Amino acid sequence: MSNRRDFIKKTALGTIGVSTVFSCKEITENKQDKAEGVIGSTPTKPLVISTWNHGLPANEETWKRLKQGRSTLDAIEAGMKIPEADPKVRSVGYGGFPDREGKVTLDACIMDHKSNCGSVSFLQGIKHPISIAKRVLQNTPHVMLSGKGALQFALSEGFVEENLLTDEAEKDWKKWLEASKYSPVINIENHDTISMLVLDKNGDISGGCTTSGAAWKMHGRVGDSPIIGAGLFLDNEVGAAAATGLGEAVIRTAGSAMVVELMRQGKSPFEACKEIVERIYNKHKDHKDMEYLQVGFIALNKNGEYAGYSLRSGFNYAVVDETQGNRMEDAQFKMKWDN
Ligand code: GLY
């Protein structure tokens, strides 16, 4: 956890604004806006973007599969399985922070350019929820399976049940139980969903999300990540968007669907992400969730323009294309976060 904190400190952008909201400084004269259009301004395809540092190895795997000519859904699944299997990634799959009962419960979804969707929520004991979401899309008449039903379906598809609670996650959970205070640490305990958006060589768009959700959530809680329109949305005529951050805030505002609708109305990915983050801020500034609220979006459009924007600093995303390879980019943000 400390590595993540160090990383955030190292990558935090300079403070520009003045007014203090909790421990954040609002950027009143946002110099970042002057760079608007710079990030993602060289449209290219194929293009893959994924949230956070763990997006980098995920992108690499997805890119490899795309280059091998595999289907985009196969490529997304292969990429997302990397952080799902990595016990050091504490917010996705195996090794993820459990809920307050010590159970690791997983949410995931996947969507293709024809608007076919598959999703699982509150799934336990299966290491790769993204694979089950893909099977829901391909092998069922439904969009979403949840809890025991999702597990039953996974087992019927040949997946095996395993313990996803690592010793380290169990230790962290027992430590959390001492105070049992639900106030997830910004950018660390409830914000590391991996969301991935792909524009393939034909100009078709697909995406996926996978997460173990907010650390220390109530048993049964489902976040935005498996909900089409909240954690992920795309319209192949327009573009795609995906979220990271406090799922409750993203669900309340249908975040990703709204970003895509703004792009349909002519906004750039940057403008669309920024407007929805502003909307979420305005709706939550007097809300109890504001104390630990972080939300971020990534978006791309049909032309291969892309961007990321978050409420609080510290959010970054991985981008891979033909010209510049696989790299991290810092998202622009509304408020500086002094963790
Ligand atoms: N965005 C992940 C969650 O809230 O579960």
Side-chain angles (χ1 to χ4, degrees):
M1 208 191 284
S2 63
N3 287 348
R4 178 97 179 107
R5 282 176 208 270
D6 291 348
F7 173 79
I8 290 159
K9 279 182 189 150
K10 274 186 216 141
T11 56
L13 299 178
T15 304
I16 301 161
V18 284
S19 66
T20 301
V21 179
F22 300 98
S23 56
C24 297
K25 296 182 180 73
E26 186 162 7
I27 297 176
T28 48
E29 234 194 78
N30 194 343
K31 288 185 189 160
Q32 298 173 93
D33 288 357
K34 296 188 180 124
E36 206 168 307
V38 171
I39 292 179
S41 68
T42 318
T44 165
K45 61 184 179 225
L47 173 72
V48 180
I49 59 177
S50 301
T51 51
W52 302 106
N53 273 351
H54 45 242
L56 215 50
N59 275 6
E60 195 179 315
E61 196 62 29
T62 297
W63 189 254
K64 195 167 87 190
R65 303 295 166 118
L66 290 175
K67 291 285 144 186
Q68 288 167 350
R70 299 281 294 274
S71 79
T72 309
L73 289 189
D74 283 354
I76 291 173
E77 178 189 15
M80 301 197 109
K81 282 172 77 171
I82 305 289
E84 281 183 344
D86 185 348
K88 292 192 294 309
V89 178
R90 311 301 305 282
S91 50
V92 179
Y94 175 64
F97 289 123
D99 64 19
R100 56 190 66 176
E101 293 185 12
K103 308 262 171 42
V104 179
T105 74
L106 306 172
D107 297 335
C109 74
I110 195 161
M111 186 168 185
D112 74 11
H113 66 288
K114 292 183 173 162
S115 296
N116 295 307
C117 316
S119 161
V120 286
S121 66
F122 191 49
L123 175 63
Q124 296 176 64
I126 300 288
K127 201 177 210 168
H128 292 298
I130 192 69
S131 301
I132 316 306
K134 186 168 151 245
R135 299 287 180 112
V136 171
L137 183 158
Q138 292 173 328
N139 298 346
T140 80
H142 306 304
V143 165
M144 195 166 194
L145 292 179
S146 192
K148 278 190 185 151
L151 175 60
Q152 208 175 311
F153 171 68
L155 298 177
S156 76
E157 290 281 317
F159 291 82
V160 287
E161 223 174 330
E162 49 195 305
N163 176 25
L164 304 180
L165 185 69
T166 58
D167 291 347
E168 201 177 353
E170 189 173 5
K171 238 184 268 160
D172 288 338
W173 166 60
K174 288 192 171 146
K175 192 158 188 295
W176 179 81
L177 281 178
E178 287 167 15
S180 296
K181 184 173 181 307
Y182 186 68
S183 183
V185 181
I186 285 185
N187 288 334
I188 296 172
E189 288 182 340
N190 60 354
H191 305 292
D192 287 14
T193 305
I194 177 160
S195 304
M196 176 183 281
L197 305 176
V198 176
L199 179 69
D200 69 20
K201 64 178 182 348
N202 304 318
D204 286 327
I205 299 169
S206 308
C209 271
T210 180
T211 187
S212 50
W216 332 130
K217 60 194 174 185
M218 289 175 69
H219 189 60
R221 180 263 190 191
V222 170
D224 60 314
S225 300
I227 299 175
I228 302 296
L232 173 73
F233 191 68
L234 65 89
D235 183 325
N236 201 43
E237 289 173 12
V238 179
T244 181
L246 189 70
E248 282 74 6
V250 178
I251 295 169
R252 280 180 198 118
T253 51
S256 295
M258 291 301 151
V259 171
V260 173
E261 281 312 293
L262 291 180
M263 291 194 288
R264 190 194 305 278
Q265 290 165 21
K267 304 243 171 187
S268 69
F270 177 85
E271 290 167 336
C273 291
K274 186 174 177 206
E275 186 166 329
I276 296 309
V277 167
E278 295 278 353
R279 187 179 299 173
I280 290 174
Y281 170 74
N282 288 330
K283 288 194 183 300
H284 287 85
K285 59 185 180 223
D286 301 319
H287 195 281
K288 61 180 171 37
D289 287 358
M290 192 62 204
E291 181 196 345
Y292 47 79
L293 180 62
Q294 167 67 314
V295 286
F297 290 93
I298 52 173
L300 57 74
N301 66 18
K302 201 70 182 159
N303 300 325
E305 294 163 325
Y306 67 89
Y309 193 86
S310 58
L311 178 65
R312 285 167 164 155
S313 57
F315 172 44
N316 58 6
Y317 53 96
V319 187
V320 58
D321 61 16
E322 294 285 4
T323 50
Q324 296 181 68
N326 197 11
R327 73 272 181 190
M328 292 305 300
E329 294 188 3
D330 288 324
Q332 298 185 34
F333 53 85
K334 179 174 173 62
M335 296 171 171
K336 177 85 174 77
W337 168 240
D338 295 323
N339 194 24

